[in-house]
Amino acid sequence: MSTSPVWLPAVPDHELALDGTTLRCRKSDGRVLRSVPRAVRSSSTGEKLSELRERLVRHEGECRSTVESWLLAGVPVPAALLARVWPDPSWRSVLEHLVVVVDGRTGLLTEVTGEGRTRLVDQDGTPHTPPVGPVSLPHPVLLSDVGKWREVLAGQDAVQGIPQLARAIHHRPDDVDPEATSLDDYAGGEFEELRHATVRAARYGFVIRGGFASLRTTDGGVGLQARYWLGADDPGLPIETGRLLWVDPSERPVALGEVGPVAWSEGVRMAELIRAGGTTDDQ
């Protein structure tokens, strides 16, 4: 649901408005300019709208990271919580059109009523309304029919606010040693400076800790942390990436055969995203 921008006087013959999180300027004759002139942006109205825009951008980022954490945690979200946040456009933009499971029914989420009742679209395009109940956001690696859901999403002419169906997924290869506690497939990625690797990791939302890029996930209630070695030396020195491993809440490395599908997929995704920004990649 979109709303028309509210135009406010800024300087003589110019008005400003926020279109989502984009600051727009128009002349008094209604002609919208391609850019905002400096004098208009620095006006009292421009400064107030710029501050509001910054708050909206931060709020959107918080909504996005929270919903993505629900996807990685695999914990059902109370229907009452979704009902409370749904009217907020920032929340709705990251929740709408996700594949969810409610009362055993799977579908694209199209609406949450004030009472917490969800409206879903199933794979043949039929809308249905399951009973009020917790809403689960399945990780795409757990969906056996990701391709079909992508077709349904395209048929709705919709996009997802966070990568669920478009998310890269990875399955553990059959030839992996189940007793090993680390994976060297993504070692050897070269960066001219360590800071280049850590900045890239942070850009994708990964936490840097003790020389590792890290990410927490949950599989069937079991929490693991994926860790990918970047280095702990001078940020200006060149580095090669190292091993990928998973640790339990007690910081103990977990055998690869015991790493669940979500933790495996997300750990490999993290390593691939970071390594792809290096100076060389021989994979």
Side-chain angles (χ1 to χ4, degrees), residues 13 56 69 74 88 101 118 197 207 212 246 254 264 279-280:
D13 199 34
L56 289 174
S69 72
D88 183 331
V101 179
T118 55
V207 176
F212 288 94
W246 289 261
V254 175
W264 182 277
T279 55
T280 62

Side-chain angles (χ1 to χ4, degrees), residues 63-75 162 216 218:
C63 295
R64 188 175 298 108
S65 62
T66 299
V67 174
E68 189 164 24
S69 72
W70 293 344
L71 184 73
L72 299 182
V75 178
I162 62 168
R216 295 186 183 278
T218 302

Side-chain angles (χ1 to χ4, degrees), residues 122-198:
D122 61 23
Q123 288 192 344
D124 62 8
T126 302
H128 56 91
T129 305
V132 174
V135 179
S136 298
L137 282 59
H139 189 281
V141 78
L142 302 177
L143 295 172
S144 60
D145 45 6
V146 173
K148 179 59 179 177
W149 283 117
R150 288 171 181 162
E151 293 176 8
V152 176
L153 184 67
Q156 295 286 311
D157 194 23
V159 295
Q160 294 184 319
I162 62 168
Q164 184 193 35
L165 297 178
R167 198 176 193 89
I169 57 177
H170 306 273
H171 299 276
R172 182 172 54 235
D174 293 336
D175 59 355
V176 165
D177 180 0
E179 301 299 324
T181 55
S182 66
L183 194 66
D184 293 328
D185 297 33
Y186 304 95
E190 299 178 4
F191 286 82
E192 291 181 354
E193 297 181 12
L194 171 59
R195 65 166 61 92
H196 295 168
T198 56

Side-chain angles (χ1 to χ4, degrees), residues 36-275:
V36 182
R38 181 178 300 178
V40 184
R41 186 183 295 273
S42 60
S43 67
S44 175
T45 300
E47 291 180 350
K48 290 178 181 178
L49 288 179
S50 294
E51 291 176 2
L52 176 59
R53 176 191 173 279
E54 291 177 4
R55 291 200 296 271
L56 289 174
V57 169
R58 286 197 299 271
H59 177 56
E60 284 188 355
E62 291 168 356
C63 295
R64 188 175 298 108
S65 62
T66 299
V67 174
E68 189 164 24
S69 72
W70 293 344
L71 184 73
L72 299 182
V75 178
V77 182
L81 174 58
L82 292 189
R84 184 173 181 179
V85 302
W86 186 262
D88 183 331
S90 295
W91 279 104
R92 189 166 60 250
S93 67
V94 294
L95 288 167
E96 195 171 20
H97 305 305
L98 290 180
V99 177
V100 300
V101 179
V102 185
D103 193 44
R105 297 291 298 271
T106 304
L108 291 182
L109 179 65
T110 61
E111 186 179 355
V112 181
T113 69
E115 296 75 33
R117 187 175 294 276
T118 55
R119 295 200 172 104
L120 313 180
V121 173
D122 61 23
Q123 288 192 344
D124 62 8
T126 302
H128 56 91
T129 305
V132 174
V135 179
S136 298
L137 282 59
H139 189 281
V141 78
L142 302 177
L143 295 172
S144 60
D145 45 6
V146 173
K148 179 59 179 177
W149 283 117
R150 288 171 181 162
E151 293 176 8
V152 176
L153 184 67
Q156 295 286 311
D157 194 23
V159 295
Q160 294 184 319
I162 62 168
Q164 184 193 35
L165 297 178
R167 198 176 193 89
I169 57 177
H170 306 273
H171 299 276
R172 182 172 54 235
D174 293 336
D175 59 355
V176 165
D177 180 0
E179 301 299 324
T181 55
S182 66
L183 194 66
D184 293 328
D185 297 33
Y186 304 95
E190 299 178 4
F191 286 82
E192 291 181 354
E193 297 181 12
L194 171 59
R195 65 166 61 92
H196 295 168
T198 56
V199 166
R200 182 174 176 85
R203 184 192 314 159
Y204 287 103
F206 306 124
V207 176
I208 306 301
R209 179 185 176 191
F212 288 94
S214 62
L215 174 71
R216 295 186 183 278
T217 62
T218 302
D219 272 287
V222 178
L224 293 181
Q225 184 183 92
R227 293 181 176 177
Y228 182 44
W229 177 253
L230 302 182
D233 296 323
D234 187 323
L237 292 178
I239 61 101
E240 284 191 4
T241 59
R243 58 182 178 154
L244 171 65
L245 71 156
W246 289 261
V247 299
D248 64 19
S250 300
E251 302 283 322
R252 293 175 298 190
V254 175
L256 299 184
E258 298 176 8
V259 177
V262 175
W264 182 277
S265 184
E266 288 297 316
V268 171
R269 175 179 177 269
M270 174 176 67
E272 287 197 345
L273 283 173
I274 296 173
R275 177 167 173 156

